[in-house]
Amino acid sequence: VCGQNLLLAEKECKAIASKMVQLKQIQMCYGQVNTYIFILKMNGNYGKVNPFPEIFDGKIANEEELLNLALSSGKRINAKGILSNRFQVAFWLGQFEEAAELAEKAKPPPKMSFMEVYHVFCEGLTAFQLARRSSSSSASKWMTIGEEAVTRFRLYE
């Protein structure tokens, strides 16, 4: 999605999600719908466009239900992806307090994939931004989190 027009990416995501439903590729649909939600949130269309009507047999009406389905069906990687996307949206929209809370919920394991490295990078930037905005008493907490993110980022193999 990086560098793409979000309206074009939105149309492409919707078309791919619909095709996955037709092909009964529901496992892959989690990730695609999650990406579609991310794009809708970033371009301000989430809530105006329903990404769920034909997907998951109409049993899912919103992102929270998608997360609950992923958790209840043991699809932890999909649940982690949803939480990670929530973090990314909050980060890019400048909602740093929310981003910090979500970063903790979706914290990657010590051995990280590329996407998890990106998460740690944004988590560090979020913490440093909050340290700048905070009083001196809470700034140290955010500096510690930011420094931990820098250390994890440096250790990426």
Side-chain angles (χ1 to χ4, degrees):
V1 180
C2 289
Q4 269 192 329
N5 177 305
L6 286 179
L7 294 176
L8 178 61
E10 179 183 331
K11 289 178 185 174
E12 290 174 355
C13 277
K14 182 177 182 177
I16 292 169
S18 295
K19 192 62 159 174
M20 286 179 171
V21 170
Q22 290 172 1
L23 298 174
K24 309 248 185 266
Q25 297 293 317
I26 298 303
Q27 179 64 25
M28 293 298 292
C29 219
Y30 278 95
Q32 188 61 36
V33 170
N34 196 26
T35 301
Y36 187 28
I37 291 168
F38 177 84
I39 291 167
L40 290 172
K41 285 181 176 180
M42 292 303 294
N43 69 14
N45 284 334
Y46 188 71
K48 298 175 189 170
V49 175
N50 182 358
F52 303 102
E54 300 131 9
I55 303 170
F56 302 108
D57 296 325
K59 296 175 185 169
I60 303 298
N62 57 46
E63 184 184 31
E64 194 62 34
E65 289 181 9
L66 182 66
L67 176 60
N68 289 334
L69 177 64
L71 290 169
S72 68
S73 59
K75 296 181 176 29
R76 294 176 59 185
I77 190 105
N78 295 343
K80 195 121 178 124
I82 292 165
L83 293 171
S84 184
N85 270 1
R86 285 180 176 178
F87 162 64
Q88 297 294 327
V89 168
F91 171 78
W92 286 114
L93 295 179
Q95 300 163 345
F96 297 112
E97 288 81 9
E98 182 182 354
E101 291 173 23
L102 292 166
E104 187 61 34
K105 288 181 183 177
K107 191 175 283 288
K111 182 109 176 133
M112 299 181 289
S113 69
F114 174 75
M115 285 306 296
E116 292 164 332
V117 169
Y118 183 68
H119 175 97
V120 170
F121 175 73
C122 291
E123 180 181 21
L125 290 177
T126 298
F128 290 134
Q129 180 66 26
L130 288 171
R132 283 190 209 106
R133 293 181 176 183
S134 299
S135 64
S136 59
S137 60
S138 64
S140 63
K141 168 191 159 189
W142 295 118
M143 285 301 294
T144 300
I145 292 171
E147 289 165 2
E148 288 171 1
V150 169
T151 300
R152 291 181 73 199
F153 191 74
R154 284 186 181 144
L155 295 175
Y156 175 64
E157 298 175 2

